[in-house]
Structures are given as structure tokens and as C-alpha cells.
């Protein structure tokens, strides 16, 4: 059950503006509660009762995004350069609780990215104990040597600067320089570092699946997104 909360806090947590803005909108008569003009920023309301300039509020009960991250964009909210958040409505970056990427992708990696304000969903999708796989399409600089499949599956590959070996990962070779790799964890630059450990270099990397959710099936072009709920997303990912 949702609890009533202060109108100004509700709108500022959804990224609409600071509390002063809300007071101004109330004076102008732009906010209604169950069809009646709002009277005070301190008024206790339920999100579903509120309209701003006649429109329902923007995802007041949580926001989960399925996104096709393009090459060149960074998952951080503060770095210089192109941010993934530029592909979304501007107010989303100011939401509280904040949105965060589940299993970030590097600037030079494209593909399927889930962004959510649901901490539990984030945990469920990233914890290795939950066994949610992430599948990557990899292109390499040099031909595969032939021992990579066994090495990655061994659970013994210790990457530089890590204190425990990678969990077993499944490599499927497509040709000499192309493969898919399925991981059950998400360490920093993991795919690139795994191939670097074999003396190779990744030239192109795309995340194609998170669990059963396939980027191709979403039909999303680079930079495009769709929104969903945590429950629906979990069904898509687990294939249930
Ligand atoms: N592995 C990488 O090296 N980079 C990513 O973005 C994701 C997995």
C-alpha cells in the first residue's frame, strides 16, 4: 500500500523540480488532487491522485528501463562526455531513489542494459548466487588459440588484480575472431580482461542477452529504451 506523502516532496523526488517550483505551480493552479486545485505544498497526497497540467505523474511507483546502450555513452551520471541519461527525459536523473545501471557497460561496449530505481531488482540481477547469465558477442583482434573455451570454463582463470578466480564461463566459438561468452558475474571490464589474459584484444563487444531477455527481441535501436516494472522484467529475464 502506498502511503500519502507531502505534495512537494513527491514531485521533487520524481525529478519535477525543487520545492519552491511546486509552490509556484500550486499558485498558478497547475496541480490538481482528485480534480480539485492543490492548496499547499505540505498537502498529503497519493501519487495517483495528482495531475500536473492535467497529466498523470511520471512513473510514480518505480521506474525500470530496458535500454540499448549505444557505443560511446557512459553509464555514470557525472563524467564528462556523452551520458546514457541524455537518452531519457531530463527529470529522470533527478529522481529519488536514484536510477542506477545494473551491471554497467563500458563506454566502448554496446548492448542490453537495465536501469532501475529498485534496489532489490538490482541485487537479484547482479548476485552470482541468482545465476542470471549475461551473454556477450565478442570480436577479437587476433585468432583464437583454441584453449580459451577450456580455460574460461575451468573456474581457475585468475585475472590480474583480482583475489579469486572467475566463475566458470561458457565460450561458443563462431569463427577465428568471433565468439559469444556467457558470464554469471560482472566484474570490472571482465570480458576484455579475460581475453587479455589469453594474449588477445577485444575489438568489439555487445551484450546481447541478460538471462532469457534478448536485445534483438526487444527491437530497440541503439539509444532507444522502453520502460517496464520490476515484476515484468524479472519474468522476461527468467523466461517464466
Ligand atoms: N565486460 C567488459 O569488458 N565490458 C563490459 O562493458 C561488460 C563486460
Amino acid at each position: 500500500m502506498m502511503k500519502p506523502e507531502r505534495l512537494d516532496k513527491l514531485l521533487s523526488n520524481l525529478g519535477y523540480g525543487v520545492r519552491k517550483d511546486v509552490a509556484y505551480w500550486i499558485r498558478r493552479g497547475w496541480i490538481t488532487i482528485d480534480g480539485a486545485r492543490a492548496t499547499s505544498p505540505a498537502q498529503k497526497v497519493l501519487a495517483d491522485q495528482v495531475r500536473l497540467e492535467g497529466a498523470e505523474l511520471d512513473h510514480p511507483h518505480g521506474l525500470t528501463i530496458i535500454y540499448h546502450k549505444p557505443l560511446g555513452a557512459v553509464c555514470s551520471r557525472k563524467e564528462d562526455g556523452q551520458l546514457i541519461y541524455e537518452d531519457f527525459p531530463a527529470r529522470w536523473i533527478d529522481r529519488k531513489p536514484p536510477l542506477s545501471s545494473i551491471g554497467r557497460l563500458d563506454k566502448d561496449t554496446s548492448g542490453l542494459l537495465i536501469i532501475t530505481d529498485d534496489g532489490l531488482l538490482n541485487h537479484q540481477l547482479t548476485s552470482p548466487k541468482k545465476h542470471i547469465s549475461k551473454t556477450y558477442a565478442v570480436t577479437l583482434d587476433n585468432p583464437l588459440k583454441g584453449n580459451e573455451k577450456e580455460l574460461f570454463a575451468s573456474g581457475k582463470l585468475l585475472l590480474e588484480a583480482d583475489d579469486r578466480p572467475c566463475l566458470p564461463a561458457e565460450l561458443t566459438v563462431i569463427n577465428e575472431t568471433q565468439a559469444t561468452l556467457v558470464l554469471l558475474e560482472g566484474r570490472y571490464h571482465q570480458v576484455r580482461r579475460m581475453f587479455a589474459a589469453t594474449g588477445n584484444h577485444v575489438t568489439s563487444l555487445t551484450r546481447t542477452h541478460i538471462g532469457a531477455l534478448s536485445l534483438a527481441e526487444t527491437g530497440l535501436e541503439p539509444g532507444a529504451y522502453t520502460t517496464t516494472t520490476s515484476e515484468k522484467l524479472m519474468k522476461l529475464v527468467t523466461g517464466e
Side-chain angles (χ1 to χ4, degrees), residues 105-106 109 136 189-192 205:
L105 293 176
D106 307 335
T109 302
Y136 296 88
H189 288 184
Q190 185 167 350
V191 176
R192 294 176 198 277
L205 186 58

